[in-house]
Amino acid sequence: MTEIFGVPIQALFGQLLIGLINGSFYAVLSLGLAIIFGLLNIINFAHGAQYMMGAFLAWIGMTFLGVNYWWALMLSPLAVGVTGVIIERTMLRWLYRLDHLYGLLLTFGLALIVEGLFRYKFGISGESYPVPETLAGGINLGFMFLPKYRAWVVVASLVVCFVTWYVIERSKLGSYLRAGTENPQLLQAFGVNVPLMITLTYGYGVALAAFAGVLAAPIFNVNPVMGSNLIIVVFAVVVIGGMGSIMGSIVTGIGLGLIEGVVKSGMVANLLGAIFDEVPIVGSIVYPVKLLFSPEASAVTIFVIMAIVLLLRPAGLFGRER
Amino acid sequence: MKRIAMGWVALVIAGLIAPFLVYPVFVMKVLCFALFACAFNLLLGYTGLLSFGHAAFLGSAGYIAGHTIKVLGFPPELGILAGTATAAVLGYVFGSLAIRRSGIYFAMITLALAQMVFFLALQMPFTGGEDGLQGVPRGMLFGVIDLRETMNMYYFVFAVFMIGFWIIYRAVHSPFGQVLKAIRENEPRAISLGYAVDKYKLLAFVLSAALSGLAGATKTLVFQLASLTDVHWHMSGEVVLMTLLGGMGTVFGPVVGAAVVMTLQNYGAEIGEWVTVLTGAIFVVCVLAFRRGIVGELAALFPVRKP
C-alpha cells in the first residue's frame, strides 16, 4: 500500500474526509456567528445549543411525527429560526445599548436553559438518527471508500455557505445588511426597517446552526451536549479567522477542519520527525512541537493554532481591529 | 468607608461562628468559591475583562496541589503554594495571549485556552482522567496542626480566605486598583495618560489567576479530591454567575453570590437537571433586569450621604 510520510494513503484520505466534514460544520457555524456579530454586536453563545436543537428536532420529528429527513432539513431550521426571532424580540433587543459582554452572558444563560431542558427530557446517552435511504451506501473511488451521505454533507454545507456569501456580498439585500453593519442609524434614516432586519438576521444565523445540526444528526450521536463541545472549537475558529469577512469565516472553518484531519492522521508528527530527529540540537527543540501535533493531541490542535495566530497576527487572519 | 468597615466586621464574625450553625464542610466549600469569585471579580468587576476560562486556574492548581501532596509527599502548605504558583504561571501564559485582543474576543480566547487545559487534564497520566485524583491526604499543617480535624481544617480555610480577600481588597484600593478602574472606564484615555495598559492588565490577570489557584488548591485539600468538574467550562460559567449575581465591581458582592449559588446547588441537588436550567434562568434574569447584582442593588437602595 502506498504511504505518504509513514501514513497509509487510505488512512490519510479517511482523516481528510473527516476533517472536511468537521470543517464544513465549523464553516457553517462560524458563518452564522459572524453574521449575527456583524449586525447585532453579540456573540451568540447559544449557537451550539441551537445546533443541538436542530439535530434533536429532526430526531423528534422522525420518531414521533414520521417527518422524513428532507422535510426535517427544511422544517427544523425554520422552527429554530422562529425561536431565534422570539428571543431577539423579547430579550436581545434590550441589550444593544449595553456592553457587548451582556449579550454573551445572556446567550450563555439561554444555552444552559436549553441544554438543561433537553438533558432532563432525553438524558445524556443520546439517540441515533439513520442515514436517509437515498444517501445510504457509498462509492468506491479506487483510493478510498466515500460514503454518499458524507459527500452530501460537504456539498450541502458548501452550497449554503456560498449562497449566503453571494446574498450578502452581491445582492441588494446584502448591501443593506453590510450598510447596517457599518452604520445602522444612517441606514434607518434612509427608510430601511433596521430593527426588522436585525430580527431576521438573528433568525437566519440561528437557522444556519440548526441546519448544520440536522446535517450532523446521522453522522454524530444526537445528544444534549453535542453543541456545547463544538461551539468552543468554533469560537477558536472565529478568533483565528477574525469576523471581518464572510469568505474568511468559510475558508478558515474548512481549512482548520482539514488541518485537524492531517494532524490526526499522524502525518505532521511523522514529517517533523523525519526532518528533525537526526539533527542533534534542533531535534530536541522540535520535540515538544512534535508532541503538540501528534494524533493524540489532535483535540487541542485548533487551540494551539489559535495561540500561534494570536502571537503573529492578533487581529486574526481575515480580521480588522474594531 | 464606614459601610465597608461594617462589612468586614460582619464577615469576620460570620466566618468565626458559621461552622457552629451550618455544616462546616459546606461553609468551607462556600469560602473556597467565594475566594474564587472575588479573584474573578478583580478582573471582571475592576478591570472590565471577562474571562471565560477561570476554571483552568482553579482546576490546574487543584491537580498540582493534589499531586504534590499525595504522590510527592509535600506538606499541605507547600502543596497549596505549588498549586498557586502553577496557576500564576498559567495565568501569565494565558494573559499574555488573551490581552492581545479585547472585549468578546478576550472571552472567547480564554474559553478556548481553558478547554485546552481540560483536554490535557483528561489525557495526562497523573490527573487520573475521569476518576480524578482521589484520597489526597490533608496532613499536618506546618507539622503541628492536624488538618484531619474538621474544625482545624475550617479555621485554616477561613484564614486562607481572609488572606486572599485582604490581598484583593488592598489591590483594589491602591493606586494600582485605581489604574485598573481607569482602564475599565476608558482604556484609550488611560493609554493617553501614559499608563502601560497591557502591563496593568497582565498583572491583574496573573493576580486573579494566582488567587483562583489558591482557592482551587485549598478546595482540593478540603475535599481530598481534584476532578475534571473543576476544569470544565461549566465551572468558568458558574464563577461568572456568582460575580454577576452578587454584584460586579463590589467588594462583598462575589462572596454573597458564591453563598447563594452554592446554597442553591446544595439544596437543589434533588431537582437534578433543573439546576442547570435554573442557573441559566438566573443568568437571563440578572442580565435583563438585575445588572447591579444583590450587593449593587442594596447599595443603590441605601445611598451614602456625601458630607
Side-chain angles (χ1 to χ4, degrees):
Chain A
M1 198 190 294
T2 339
E3 289 192 351
I4 303 177
F5 302 118
V7 180
I9 198 160
Q10 279 184 320
L12 176 65
F13 277 106
Q15 291 296 350
L16 277 179
L17 179 64
I18 295 175
L20 195 58
I21 289 173
N22 284 335
S24 316
F25 290 132
Y26 298 159
V28 177
L29 291 173
S30 63
L31 179 66
L33 280 179
I35 297 173
I36 293 173
F37 181 72
L39 211 56
L40 282 77
N41 274 326
I42 277 177
I43 271 292
N44 186 29
F45 210 116
H47 220 65
Q50 282 147 343
Y51 160 88
M52 178 270 286
M53 268 169 88
F56 249 108
L57 287 184
W59 180 83
I60 292 168
M62 182 199 67
T63 315
F64 299 109
L65 307 169
V67 177
N68 72 17
Y69 175 81
W70 302 102
W71 279 104
L73 202 55
M74 277 184 284
L75 292 178
S76 173
L78 200 65
V80 177
V82 170
T83 64
V85 166
I86 295 169
I87 288 169
E88 199 280 335
R89 278 277 135 147
T90 53
M91 298 180 199
L92 290 177
R93 62 182 327 177
W94 304 105
L95 302 178
Y96 297 143
R97 272 172 297 142
L98 302 170
D99 197 310
H100 297 177
L101 300 179
Y102 287 109
L104 181 74
L105 294 178
L106 182 89
T107 48
F108 177 74
L110 290 174
L112 285 182
I113 295 177
V114 172
E115 204 183 292
L117 285 175
F118 276 83
R119 253 171 37 189
Y120 171 73
K121 193 76 193 145
F122 299 100
I124 197 86
S125 55
E127 315 285 350
S128 62
Y129 190 97
V131 172
E133 271 173 36
T134 6
L135 294 171
I139 315 155
N140 197 342
L141 297 177
F143 55 88
M144 68 176 291
F145 180 78
L146 178 68
K148 276 190 206 163
Y149 185 77
R150 304 200 162 205
W152 153 251
V153 167
V154 175
V155 173
S157 317
L158 286 179
V159 168
V160 166
C161 283
F162 283 104
V163 167
T164 308
W165 171 81
Y166 185 85
V167 169
I168 292 179
E169 296 291 334
R170 294 283 181 273
S171 75
K172 185 82 180 164
L173 179 67
S175 70
Y176 289 155
L177 242 113
R178 280 175 289 137
T181 307
E182 290 294 328
N183 193 335
Q185 285 87 5
L186 195 61
L187 184 66
Q188 193 146 19
F190 282 125
V192 176
N193 188 346
V194 174
L196 179 69
M197 205 168 81
I198 289 178
T199 309
L200 293 179
T201 302
Y202 187 74
Y204 180 71
V206 165
L208 271 182
F211 180 78
V214 183
L215 283 181
I219 299 184
F220 304 122
N221 182 8
V222 179
N223 70 62
V225 293
M226 66 190 283
S228 54
N229 293 328
L230 184 61
I231 195 66
I232 300 178
V233 179
V234 173
F235 279 172
V237 171
V238 164
V239 172
I240 294 169
M243 284 187 287
S245 92
I246 301 292
M247 195 49 107
S249 329
I250 302 173
V251 171
T252 317
I254 291 175
L256 285 171
L258 284 174
I259 292 176
E260 211 178 22
V262 172
V263 170
K264 221 180 271 177
S265 74
M267 203 167 90
V268 179
N270 288 351
L271 187 62
L272 286 173
I275 300 174
F276 294 109
D277 271 3
E278 302 306 315
V279 193
I281 300 160
V282 186
S284 48
I285 300 174
V286 172
Y287 183 72
V289 182
K290 206 174 96 180
L291 277 189
L292 275 179
F293 286 99
S294 65
E296 293 78 32
S298 63
V300 298
T301 305
I302 289 190
F303 303 128
V304 174
I305 295 174
M306 181 191 80
I308 297 171
V309 168
L310 280 171
L311 287 174
L312 302 177
R313 257 186 85 92
L317 298 177
F318 299 90
R320 45 183 185 175
E321 290 287 355
R322 48 188 270 165
Chain B
M1 248 20 237
K2 213 172 158 196
R3 199 192 294 174
I4 296 276
M6 273 161 56
W8 274 95
V9 172
L11 192 68
V12 172
I13 294 175
L16 287 176
I17 61 165
F20 299 101
L21 305 175
V22 193
Y23 183 50
V25 175
F26 174 70
V27 189
M28 286 193 257
K29 190 178 179 186
V30 171
L31 285 175
C32 289
F33 279 103
L35 178 57
F36 183 33
C38 289
F40 178 80
N41 186 38
L42 180 64
L43 211 54
L44 176 62
Y46 291 100
T47 323
L49 296 173
L50 172 60
S51 157
F52 235 102
H54 255 50
F57 310 124
L58 182 84
S60 59
Y63 276 121
I64 296 296
H67 182 73
T68 51
I69 294 172
K70 187 185 171 188
V71 181
L72 306 180
F74 277 31
E77 64 278 5
L78 276 186
I80 288 180
L81 274 184
T84 310
T86 309
V89 171
L90 201 62
Y92 181 79
V93 176
F94 279 25
S96 329
L97 284 170
I99 56 168
R100 290 170 158 261
R101 302 295 291 275
S102 54
I104 41 151
Y105 281 104
F106 185 91
M108 291 195 282
I109 292 166
T110 44
L111 177 62
L113 290 171
Q115 190 71 355
M116 201 157 114
V117 172
F118 176 79
F119 279 122
L120 290 178
L122 188 63
Q123 287 182 344
M124 282 210 280
F126 83 92
T127 58
E130 301 268 358
D131 299 331
L133 264 178
Q134 295 176 356
V136 179
R138 280 181 181 173
M140 305 286 274
L141 183 68
F142 305 122
V144 284
I145 304 169
D146 189 355
L147 290 181
R148 280 166 298 179
E149 291 287 330
T150 307
M151 278 305 168
N152 290 351
M153 188 71 214
Y154 174 81
Y155 285 107
F156 171 61
V157 173
F158 184 56
V160 168
F161 168 78
M162 287 311 287
I163 292 169
F165 191 71
W166 184 78
I167 292 174
I168 293 164
Y169 180 82
R170 282 313 311 152
V172 168
H173 294 86
S174 69
F176 168 70
Q178 296 301 323
V179 177
L180 292 187
K181 281 181 220 165
I183 294 172
R184 178 189 69 189
E185 294 303 326
N186 194 338
E187 189 173 335
R189 187 149 184 210
I191 295 172
S192 74
L193 285 171
Y195 290 108
V197 165
D198 279 355
K199 280 190 184 151
Y200 279 93
K201 280 187 187 172
L202 185 58
L203 189 55
F205 198 96
V206 173
L207 192 58
S208 172
L211 289 168
S212 304
L214 180 63
T218 313
K219 181 169 171 287
T220 296
L221 208 58
V222 172
F223 290 97
Q224 306 184 288
L225 168 75
S227 71
L228 283 175
T229 322
D230 290 351
V231 273
H232 196 261
W233 61 268
H234 267 191
M235 185 59 76
S236 300
E238 228 160 70
V239 74
V240 182
L241 180 69
M242 290 172 194
T243 311
L244 187 67
L245 181 64
M248 277 194 273
T250 60
V251 177
F252 296 101
V255 182
V256 176
V260 174
V261 171
M262 281 302 126
T263 310
L264 193 81
Q265 287 186 348
N266 204 38
Y267 297 100
E270 60 226 63
I271 53 173
E273 296 302 345
W274 289 104
V275 172
T276 317
V277 180
L278 194 59
T279 310
I282 297 175
F283 252 109
V284 171
V285 171
C286 276
V287 170
L288 285 177
F290 198 58
R291 281 186 286 275
R292 282 184 289 208
I294 296 172
V295 171
E297 294 288 346
L298 283 178
L301 269 183
F302 306 104
V304 181
R305 260 182 248 118
K306 296 268 188 233

